[in-house]
Amino acid sequence: MSESEEALRRILGAQEAVINLLVATEKLFMAQLQNELPKKLVSATDEKLIRYLQGSMGSLATETMRVLFLDNANRLLNDQEFGNGSPRRIIVQPRCILKRALELNSSAIILVHNHPGGDMQPSQSDVKFTMLIKNLCRELEIRLHDHIIIAGNNWSSFRKLRLL
């Protein structure tokens, strides 16, 4: 359900009523999941947060990077997409992420991206990118809580893998 309207049109053709129903259902489903998010995130791997991320990214056909911006009390300030790429690759500029964190006066961030192929393990480029962001965050006094990879109904965490 998280596919774009264009992708739905390619699959369903001119069935506008069905497409509109699917888009509305997806919006309702995501609003429900977002409503269930804790007001204060105790952990980047909170079960409700993971369900929300799986619901919004688990079935995407291309890699997508999102960043969750948190305040000093670990409340969600903003959930923003920073690009999508091919089924195997995404290019994101770290400066855009850090610029937005400063604009929001964010105290912490959680990186999230998906692996459409279903592999939960971080790639070498995932690790390299995360370490770069970690170092930049440290310089700006912004905490990098975690980097979560969503792979369909599965997920992994850089913290749980002891990569952060």
Side-chain angles (χ1 to χ4, degrees):
M1 284 198 312
S2 59
E3 287 298 334
S4 68
E5 286 185 50
E6 293 79 22
L8 291 173
R9 278 191 186 84
R10 281 193 307 271
I11 296 166
L12 299 171
Q15 298 181 35
E16 286 300 316
V18 174
I19 292 169
N20 291 338
L21 182 61
L22 287 171
V23 169
T25 302
E26 192 264 342
K27 286 180 181 176
L28 180 64
F29 177 68
M30 291 313 304
Q32 175 69 27
L33 287 175
Q34 193 168 29
N35 243 7
E36 292 176 3
L37 286 176
K39 298 303 176 213
K40 180 177 179 183
L41 297 174
V42 177
S43 164
T45 57
D46 181 279
E47 182 182 319
K48 290 178 181 177
L49 176 61
I50 297 299
R51 271 200 320 260
Y52 167 71
L53 296 170
Q54 286 173 325
S56 60
M57 301 178 78
S59 64
L60 294 177
T62 59
E63 279 202 26
T64 301
M65 169 67 73
R66 287 170 48 194
V67 180
L68 307 178
F69 296 93
L70 309 173
D71 68 10
N72 203 36
N74 289 331
R75 290 182 296 250
L76 184 63
L77 294 170
N78 196 328
D79 170 4
Q80 187 170 337
E81 186 176 301
F82 278 86
N84 52 42
S86 70
R88 296 182 45 106
R89 184 174 176 189
I90 184 171
I91 297 174
V92 177
Q93 296 298 319
R95 78 180 273 138
C96 296
I97 293 172
L98 279 296
K99 178 182 176 191
R100 186 64 176 144
L102 293 172
E103 289 170 352
L104 293 169
N105 202 26
S106 179
S107 297
I109 63 172
I110 300 170
L111 301 173
V112 185
H113 85 282
N114 65 319
H115 281 177
D119 184 6
M120 298 182 315
Q121 293 303 310
S123 68
Q124 282 302 107
S125 60
D126 293 340
V127 173
K128 184 178 175 182
F129 178 80
T130 304
M131 293 306 116
L132 174 62
I133 293 287
K134 177 184 174 184
N135 292 331
L136 292 170
C137 282
R138 185 181 316 119
E139 292 297 318
L140 296 172
E141 299 179 353
I142 298 170
R143 291 182 309 279
L144 173 58
H145 281 313
D146 209 337
H147 184 161
I148 297 170
I149 297 175
I150 301 295
N153 290 326
N154 299 311
W155 62 278
S156 64
S157 154
F158 274 58
R159 286 248 178 250
K160 285 192 169 202
L161 295 171
R162 298 184 188 262
L163 296 171
L164 269 179

